[in-house]
Amino acid sequence: MVRFKQNPSMIKLENLPFLTNDVFYEKIIKAVENSGRIASYFVYKYKDKLNALAVILFDETKEFELFATEINKKLNPLYNKVPQIYNFEREIFEQYPDAIHGEGLKPLRFHKPFEGKGKSNQIGDMDFFEIDSHETHQVGVGPVHAGIIEPGHFRFNCYGEQVLSLEISLGYQHRGIEKSLIGGPYKDSFYKIQTASGDSTVAHTICYLGNLEALSKVEPHIDSQLKRMAALELERIANHVGDLGGLATDIGFLPTASYCGRIRGDFLNMTADLCGNRFGRSLLSFGGEKVEKSIFEKIVKKIDALKPNLLGAVEMLWNTPSVMSRFDNTGVLPKEIAVELGIVGLHRRASGINNDIRKDLPFLLYNKYFKEIQTEDLHGDVLGRGLVRYREILNSLNMFTDIASDINDRAQEQHSNCLLNANSISVSFSEGFRGEICHVAITDEDGKLLRYKIVDPSFHNWNGLAYVVRNEGIYDFPLCNKSFNLSYCGFDL
């Protein structure tokens, strides 16, 4: 078997282990039984043959494994034995309906399949689960959201105000980003990656550049790596601050809501100081970026001035009994369910499982700078997800200061040609503010991308939101939803 500890890692396709279908299924089941997690699972076509590829992440041994199988007959779904594979199998059924038996599987989105003939392509046309009872009713929310969030449809089965089940239907803004990358990398591929999930621009760009640089055997300068880490931590702080303000908004606690809304903008402006764009667009580039230490020194001074206001605004949450009574024990995701569903990122840590790609598969220079947060006292409720954000803000502020003190002006922008190794596969992970991001790149005999697979943390975690609202009052859905704050477009690539 091929296991990797380095992130990102690249191998030639000829070295990729191919298993028979039955051994392939058995290996996935055994891997998950032995604390493995499915980081990616998809179908690709190589030399006119359809293959399925699995990427399994082992947190305990801090490594990941790749293996594949040729699809000579339809794949058997495994979701009854491995619940965390459910969305991946639905996606395979959506993209290659002839590659997998479709019993119990619905397409995740509404676009035309990559190959074969799928179900209806009419957007919004979906068979929702129903409960056959005259005592229950359904509530539909969306696809037009009342706020500024992207479109999605939420279908509740309720008994009075009690939620019995929630089914989530996304895919109303399918852009076909993964498919558009095939044959590249093109000049505009870089810009598409930056919009994969707009609030995670830096995290997705780091993954994409990691794959291109691994496939080209290019290593960015140490100062460029520090710059990428600093930008990623600024992205994390800005989003966490905004989310804590959003939690306060959803319970009508206006002091923290108002302060965090303003302070989030201050942190976004710090990213603009680095590149001219508040979301980090065009901040990073293939091979490395120019670094100016003086800009980082100015940002550290801004952080020092802003930190007392930030801490004061957020700590009001934890010191207000009415806030705590709304957060505590609402929308609970138990640890064992988080493991079973393959939940990642801050939502997994809020359930007391301290996995983080910055620690488990450190990329860039995180093995030197990253420090763990405390999670043992958390039990997966809205309060836990809020506290993880708060602790990670403090952690990221310290990390940014440490990075800024070590960074220098030695790196210049690189203009290397992006020539990818032919017939190869590369896997790259990063830890965005929501959690683990996984990109897989496969090249053909000409060194062009024949498949590019992106897994945003939201792809894993939407099923967690559907779980935590069960048996809650439907009035708590907005609070639970905000405590997850998942990406709609990042699910729909």
Side-chain angles (χ1 to χ4, degrees):
M1 289 299 112
V2 180
R3 288 198 175 191
F4 303 90
K5 286 185 175 293
Q6 186 175 345
N7 175 24
S9 283
M10 183 273 287
I11 60 166
K12 301 293 286 185
L13 282 175
E14 63 193 29
N15 296 325
L16 180 65
F18 266 79
L19 312 174
T20 64
N21 289 175
D22 289 341
V23 175
F24 181 80
Y25 304 144
E26 189 65 21
K27 189 159 182 63
I28 290 176
I29 294 169
K30 290 289 184 187
V32 173
E33 287 176 352
N34 292 306
S35 305
R37 290 193 288 117
I38 299 171
S40 192
Y41 176 43
F42 60 94
V43 167
Y44 69 97
K45 196 168 190 177
Y46 181 68
K47 295 183 177 178
D48 294 327
K49 294 181 178 177
L50 281 182
N51 306 303
L53 174 76
V55 181
I56 308 293
L57 183 57
F58 297 90
D59 299 306
E60 291 181 1
T61 57
K62 303 182 188 306
E63 57 189 3
F64 66 93
E65 182 175 7
L66 309 179
F67 50 90
T69 188
E70 185 177 329
I71 304 175
N72 294 316
K73 56 183 182 179
K74 285 189 174 184
L75 296 169
N76 292 330
L78 302 177
Y79 64 86
N80 281 330
K81 296 179 179 177
V82 185
Q84 63 180 272
I85 207 171
Y86 185 52
N87 276 355
F88 290 105
E89 291 183 333
R90 289 181 63 185
E91 184 177 63
I92 289 173
F93 182 62
E94 162 198 310
Q95 296 175 345
Y96 296 92
D98 296 331
I100 188 167
H101 292 288
E103 295 83 1
L105 299 176
K106 304 175 184 178
L108 282 175
R109 313 168 189 100
F110 308 104
H111 64 85
K112 292 182 179 178
F114 291 0
E115 279 193 11
K117 187 176 180 180
K119 291 189 173 180
S120 168
N121 297 318
Q122 181 66 39
I123 294 177
D125 184 6
M126 184 166 169
D127 297 326
F128 289 98
F129 296 116
E130 295 182 14
I131 296 176
D132 185 15
S133 169
H134 67 279
E135 295 184 338
T136 63
H137 63 280
Q138 289 195 329
V139 177
V141 177
V144 179
H145 192 274
I148 57 171
I149 303 176
E150 296 171 80
H153 184 84
F154 301 83
R155 184 69 63 93
F156 298 87
N157 283 296
C158 296
Y159 177 72
E161 291 191 335
Q162 181 187 7
V163 176
L164 300 180
S165 69
L166 165 63
E167 190 171 5
I168 301 169
S169 176
L170 306 177
Y172 290 85
Q173 284 187 318
H174 186 68
R175 296 163 292 167
I177 286 182
E178 287 182 359
K179 200 169 183 181
S180 74
L181 300 176
I182 294 173
Y186 304 109
K187 189 174 181 180
D188 64 353
S189 301
F190 185 69
Y191 302 104
K192 290 177 178 174
I193 287 293
Q194 292 181 111
T195 64
S197 183
D199 53 12
S200 302
T201 294
V202 176
H204 275 284
T205 306
I206 286 173
C207 258
Y208 180 68
L209 291 177
N211 273 334
L212 296 192
E213 289 163 357
L215 287 165
S216 307
K217 297 187 177 178
V218 170
E219 183 173 358
H221 190 279
I222 186 172
D223 285 327
S224 290
Q225 295 186 52
L226 291 172
K227 181 177 182 178
R228 294 178 185 187
M229 292 167 56
L232 184 57
E233 296 313 313
L234 278 183
E235 184 175 84
R236 190 181 324 279
I237 296 167
N239 280 296
H240 281 352
V241 170
D243 287 348
L244 289 172
L247 285 173
T249 300
D250 274 4
I251 58 168
F253 189 67
L254 296 184
T256 300
S258 301
Y259 271 108
C260 285
R262 190 258 296 172
I263 294 170
R264 170 180 175 265
D266 290 334
F267 279 103
L268 290 175
N269 288 337
M270 293 177 199
T271 299
D273 288 342
L274 290 173
C275 66
N277 183 280
R278 300 193 339 149
F279 294 97
R281 306 279 169 85
S282 300
L283 171 64
L284 309 180
S285 57
F286 175 78
E289 307 82 21
K290 183 179 180 180
V291 176
E292 296 179 62
K293 183 176 179 64
S294 59
I295 296 178
F296 286 88
E297 291 173 339
K298 291 177 182 175
I299 293 176
V300 169
K301 290 179 181 176
K302 289 183 179 181
I303 288 176
D304 289 341
L306 195 59
K307 193 173 178 180
N309 285 340
L310 169 62
L311 300 188
V314 176
E315 287 174 359
M316 275 192 285
L317 289 173
W318 323 131
N319 295 325
T320 304
S322 62
V323 172
M324 297 300 287
S325 70
R326 292 287 284 114
F327 286 4
D328 192 18
N329 211 31
T330 301
V332 177
L333 184 66
K335 181 186 292 189
E336 61 274 14
I337 300 298
V339 170
E340 189 173 356
L341 295 178
I343 301 298
V344 302
L346 77 90
H347 313 92
R348 186 177 181 90
R349 292 190 283 279
S351 294
I353 311 166
N354 205 349
N355 292 134
D356 190 312
I357 290 296
R358 293 172 293 174
K359 163 178 67 77
D360 299 332
L361 281 172
F363 53 104
L364 300 174
L365 301 170
Y366 273 108
N367 53 355
K368 177 180 178 182
Y369 292 90
F370 178 72
K371 294 181 179 61
E372 285 187 87
I373 63 165
Q374 181 186 354
T375 61
E376 294 82 0
D377 56 329
L378 307 178
H379 59 279
D381 54 3
V382 170
L383 176 61
R385 291 187 280 278
L387 284 171
V388 165
R389 288 180 168 96
Y390 176 58
R391 292 169 186 176
E392 291 193 347
I393 287 170
L394 299 178
N395 208 22
S396 295
L397 289 172
N398 291 333
M399 251 192 291
F400 186 93
T401 302
D402 292 344
I403 292 168
S405 67
D406 289 349
I407 207 165
N408 281 297
D409 296 329
R410 294 165 296 193
Q412 298 297 319
E413 186 170 355
Q414 301 299 308
H415 298 284
S416 312
N417 289 326
C418 183
L419 302 176
L420 308 184
N421 267 299
N423 297 316
S424 301
I425 179 170
S426 174
V427 180
S428 177
F429 293 90
S430 72
E431 184 77 20
F433 80 95
R434 290 189 181 90
E436 166 193 315
I437 295 173
C438 176
H439 286 206
V440 182
I442 304 176
T443 59
D444 62 15
E445 57 270 28
D446 297 320
K448 302 297 183 185
L449 293 173
L450 70 84
R451 185 77 161 96
Y452 199 91
K453 183 76 190 86
I454 302 170
V455 182
D456 187 84
S458 300
F459 190 84
H460 298 280
N461 290 357
W462 276 109
N463 288 337
L465 173 62
Y467 179 88
V468 302
V469 298
R470 292 182 186 176
N471 298 316
E472 294 281 356
I474 194 169
Y475 43 79
D476 269 337
F477 170 66
L479 181 58
C480 292
N481 191 21
K482 176 54 67 178
S483 74
F484 273 75
N485 186 26
L486 300 174
S487 174
Y488 296 62
C489 64
F491 183 86
D492 193 10
L493 301 171

